[in-house]
Amino acid sequence: IKNKINWPWLVLVYVSLFVMGYLDNSRGPAYPLILKDLNFTPKMGSWFFSLSSLAGLIVYIMAKSWLP
């Protein structure tokens, strides 16, 4: 059986990866401003970004059970 490539989904995945990489790289210079806007201490900001990374890891691990 020959698998067909679903091009719209493939393009969406690569665009999403690019956007996530861009946002992650732009977070560094904006980090103090983000903390100030959210009224977070550096410790709270560290937990905030760590938990979001952990959530991303969990989604990555669980993705195989969601996809056929």
Side-chain angles (χ1 to χ4, degrees):
I1 298 173
K2 203 174 199 181
N3 290 339
K4 223 174 123 175
I5 295 176
N6 193 340
W7 287 103
W9 282 108
L10 188 64
V11 170
L12 178 65
V13 167
Y14 277 106
V15 168
S16 298
L17 285 172
F18 176 78
V19 169
M20 286 176 57
Y22 183 78
L23 289 174
D24 189 51
N25 287 335
S26 65
R27 181 183 67 191
Y31 186 69
L33 298 173
I34 294 170
L35 292 180
K36 185 179 175 185
D37 284 346
L38 296 175
N39 200 21
F40 282 176
T41 63
K43 184 177 179 180
M44 289 170 58
S46 175
W47 275 106
F48 179 77
F49 288 114
S50 296
L51 290 176
S52 65
S53 296
L54 179 63
L57 177 64
I58 291 169
V59 168
Y60 171 75
I61 292 171
M62 298 299 293
K64 67 181 178 182
S65 66
W66 299 334
L67 299 172

